Amino acid sequence: MKKTLLVLTVLLLPISANAQIYSKQMSPQTAQKVIDRYAPIVCQQGLSGLIKDVQRCYKKTNINNADIEICVAGDLILTMATDGRQLPPDLDKSFINERAFEERIKKVADSSYFFGGQSAQYATDKGVGLLYYIGDGLAPYVDDHNPLQSLAKHCQK
């Protein structure tokens, strides 16, 4: 998980020397909600179902609501699942491309929910902090090398 976050950070956003990396992480209860929401979708509908549900999550969730964590976590799982992998040619990649992901993370990181309405020194710092917050919370549940398989294991219970 940490390796993927580091790669995402380098790919997505340049880190300033004064980056404010927040040490807290998403709660285990919220991480379990992520698993409960996305595992059945992955098991029944695969990657395309996950993409559609993450899109729906963002559309239906207020950016300042605690449930936005679930949307961002699903988005991070999507990014880990598709990064550097060969994807089906018929898959709509517009939602999962790097630029779209970066824009969503910046928008959420700027919300008052994650940083209490206080602006961080740079938007980059907040985006990086958000990725660590979500990624560290998911780490016990989702293998960053095989995130979809990790979710699928939860369906077998």
Side-chain angles (χ1 to χ4, degrees):
M1 178 68 64
K2 295 207 186 260
K3 181 180 174 187
T4 298
L5 289 175
L6 181 60
V7 170
L8 285 172
T9 301
V10 171
L11 291 175
L12 294 175
L13 308 163
I15 300 175
S16 71
N18 298 322
Q20 297 175 8
I21 304 298
Y22 295 86
S23 61
K24 67 178 185 170
Q25 66 185 37
M26 181 176 61
S27 74
Q29 295 81 8
T30 302
Q32 188 59 54
K33 287 179 183 179
V34 170
I35 300 305
D36 293 345
R37 177 176 181 138
Y38 295 121
I41 291 167
V42 167
C43 293
Q44 296 169 8
Q45 302 170 26
L47 182 61
S48 61
L50 182 61
I51 292 169
K52 288 176 187 171
D53 197 73
V54 172
Q55 285 176 311
R56 190 172 327 141
C57 186
Y58 277 117
K59 286 179 185 174
K60 292 187 174 194
T61 306
N62 183 304
I63 199 164
N64 293 308
N65 184 295
D67 288 342
I68 197 69
E69 290 184 36
I70 295 168
C71 305
V72 176
D75 210 354
L76 184 57
I77 290 168
L78 272 175
T79 300
M80 291 185 304
T82 58
D83 187 41
R85 291 185 170 83
Q86 185 72 15
L87 300 174
D90 61 335
L91 186 71
D92 179 7
K93 298 168 190 74
S94 61
F95 182 77
I96 58 174
N97 72 56
E98 185 179 322
R99 165 117 20 239
F101 175 72
E102 179 182 328
E103 290 302 316
R104 288 189 300 276
I105 295 303
K106 283 181 183 179
K107 183 178 178 183
V108 172
D110 278 338
S111 74
S112 60
Y113 174 75
F114 281 102
F115 297 99
Q118 297 181 2
S119 60
Q121 189 173 6
Y122 300 101
T124 299
D125 300 339
K126 293 192 296 186
V128 170
L130 174 60
L131 291 175
Y132 274 98
Y133 172 85
I134 298 292
D136 288 350
L138 283 178
Y141 305 92
V142 179
D143 175 9
D144 61 333
H145 297 292
N146 297 301
L148 298 183
Q149 290 175 346
S150 296
L151 286 176
K153 288 179 185 176
H154 294 280
C155 295
Q156 299 169 2
K157 289 185 176 181

